[in-house]
Amino acid sequence: MRRPEGSIIVVSAPSGAGKTTLIRRLRASMPELAFSISYTTRARRVGERNGREYFFIKPEEFRRLAQRGAFAEWAQVHADLYGTPLAPLEAARRAGRDILLDIDVQGYARLKRRFPEAAGIFIVPPSRRELERRLKGRHQDRPEAIHRRLEDARREIAQWKNYDYVVMNDDLREAARALRAIVTAIRHRAAARGRQMNHILRNFGG
Ligand code: ADP
Ligand code: 5GP
């Protein structure tokens, strides 16, 4: 079979760095990008809808899906389980659609073993202090959870070299612009352009 050409684009960041905000902006400007909706055992937050941000399931169901091989990767992040469903990923690739994944550093490392061509973008906050400010300002997590997320951030940031691109989210508009430029570059990699190039070559009588 010909290698599918849809790019797998992974975005990771320590919690609170602004990944959700940046991804929302990116998707608004590139609505043709497919987005992978993960399964999670964590509690639904106010404003989240099942099937939109995540599929919210019980740990038993999560384990059953994992055993059945339904996940391209899965990991425990903070205190909960998160997994990327394999079927939509494969469907997007077969259709030649680019697909965006919002997953953590362990998930990215596992996914790379299965899909080495996946491109990784890491988003970092400008400082620990600013990360703490954003986590507190979001009013979504209890103090213990915020403490845990800050501790996890150190371990996550240490993985930055596994990624192809790094975006520091200090000024939001600048970071959004950089992210868009990176995604555009990934989508223009020669390896992702075979179909188009063959078409153009035929047009030239090649
Ligand atoms: P993540 O998805 O990485 O956990 P969010 O997108 O929820 O992070 O952002 C965490 C908080 O920080 C939100 O309240 C968001 O509005 C704010 N935020 C995001 N980017 C910036 C930025 N560049 N400057 C200041 N605040 C930001
Ligand atoms: P949150 O609970 O704040 O939405 O997400 C917490 C972390 O879990 C984020 O770093 C997010 O990228 C990660 N995450 C979300 N879905 C998945 C997934 O399917 N697999 C993995 N490995 N991590 C995920």
Side-chain angles (χ1 to χ4, degrees), residues 8-125:
I8 297 179
I9 304 169
V10 174
V11 181
S12 303
S15 181
K19 180 166 45 110
T20 307
T21 309
L22 284 167
I23 288 180
R24 199 175 298 134
R25 287 186 171 215
L26 179 71
R27 290 180 66 198
S29 67
M30 293 183 173
E32 70 285 5
L33 265 186
F35 183 70
S36 165
I37 300 171
S38 298
Y39 284 70
T40 184
T41 61
R42 91 148 153 74
R44 200 163 55 82
R45 293 180 185 140
V46 175
E48 286 182 332
R49 199 189 302 155
N50 189 38
R52 188 177 62 186
E53 284 80 10
Y54 288 104
F55 292 103
F56 297 94
I57 57 172
K58 297 210 157 51
E60 308 84 78
E61 196 184 339
F62 193 98
R63 283 195 202 93
R64 215 174 310 127
L65 287 171
Q67 264 165 17
R68 218 186 284 157
F71 295 131
E73 63 72 35
W74 67 269
Q76 180 177 333
V77 187
H78 311 303
D80 292 291
L81 302 172
Y82 293 82
T84 303
L86 184 59
L89 194 64
E90 290 190 325
R93 307 255 296 153
R94 268 199 306 277
R97 271 190 92 188
D98 303 319
I99 185 163
L100 194 70
L101 275 65
D102 169 347
I103 63 175
D104 88 314
V105 293
Q106 312 163 69
Y108 174 61
R110 288 174 190 166
L111 194 87
K112 276 292 255 193
R113 277 181 233 138
R114 198 155 176 175
F115 300 101
E117 69 282 14
I121 307 169
F122 192 65
I123 295 168
V124 273

Side-chain angles (χ1 to χ4, degrees), residues 13-22 130 133-134 137-138 140 169-172:
S15 181
K19 180 166 45 110
T20 307
T21 309
L22 284 167
E130 174 62 14
R133 199 189 64 79
R134 288 183 195 171
R138 196 165 62 174
Q140 259 174 2
N169 181 21
D170 190 356
D171 178 76
L172 183 60

